[in-house]
Amino acid sequence: QVQLVESGGGSVQAGGSLRLSCAASGYVDSWRRMAWFRQAPGKEREGVAAIYAPSGSTFYADSVKGRFTISQDNAKNTVHLQMNSLKPDDTAMYYCALDLVFKHYGLGSPSEYNYWGQGTQVTVSS
C-alpha cells in the first residue's frame, strides 16, 4: 500500500510564496509520475504540475507556468511544489497524486492516478 502525506500549506498574501511537499511511503520504487492537483470550492479538480521518474520531465498548467516549480527528491521519495507570486485565484485545496504506470506525458486527468494524499489548504489573500 502507498501513502502520500502533504505538508506546507497555509495562508499568504498575494505575491507571496509557499512550498508544498509530498512524502510517499510504501511500495513506491516504481512510480512513474507524481503530480499536484488543486480543487477550489465549487470547481473541478485540476492538474497543476507533474513530474516523471526517472527522466525528471515536468509539465505545468498554463495558469502556473513561470510561477510554480515541481521537483523531486528521489532519495526520500518526496516531491515539492515551490509556489511563487501567488494570486488569490491559487486558493484551493492542493492534493498530491501518484501514478504507478506510464501512460503518456502531461498532467492527465485525476482518474489516471492510483494514489492520493489527504490534501493541504492554500489560501491567498488580496
Side-chain angles (χ1 to χ4, degrees):
Q1 190 70 7
V2 174
Q3 287 188 323
L4 302 177
V5 179
E6 302 104 333
S7 62
S11 297
V12 65
Q13 289 190 329
S17 299
L18 284 173
R19 187 175 189 244
L20 306 183
S21 295
C22 174
S25 61
Y27 184 67
V28 295
D29 291 344
S30 62
W31 68 266
R32 287 294 173 262
R33 176 174 55 170
M34 289 185 73
W36 288 94
F37 283 74
R38 66 186 181 187
Q39 188 166 18
K43 295 187 177 181
E44 293 187 352
R45 191 169 295 192
E46 63 172 355
V48 175
I51 189 165
Y52 284 77
S55 67
S57 299
T58 57
F59 294 85
Y60 297 92
D62 288 342
S63 59
V64 306
K65 281 181 181 177
R67 300 188 298 122
F68 290 12
T69 302
I70 189 170
S71 61
Q72 60 181 340
D73 182 348
N74 286 335
K76 298 181 180 180
N77 279 323
T78 301
V79 171
H80 307 285
L81 184 69
Q82 178 66 42
M83 305 186 295
N84 299 327
S85 301
L86 283 161
K87 306 175 181 179
D89 285 348
D90 295 319
T91 295
M93 185 71 79
Y94 283 69
Y95 297 91
C96 176
L98 184 147
D99 185 4
L100 290 174
V101 179
F102 177 82
K103 299 177 180 66
H104 58 82
Y105 285 110
L107 291 171
S109 65
S111 63
E112 296 177 11
Y113 292 79
N114 304 102
Y115 297 98
W116 291 84
Q118 293 298 311
T120 185
Q121 178 68 37
V122 171
T123 303
V124 184
S125 58
S126 57

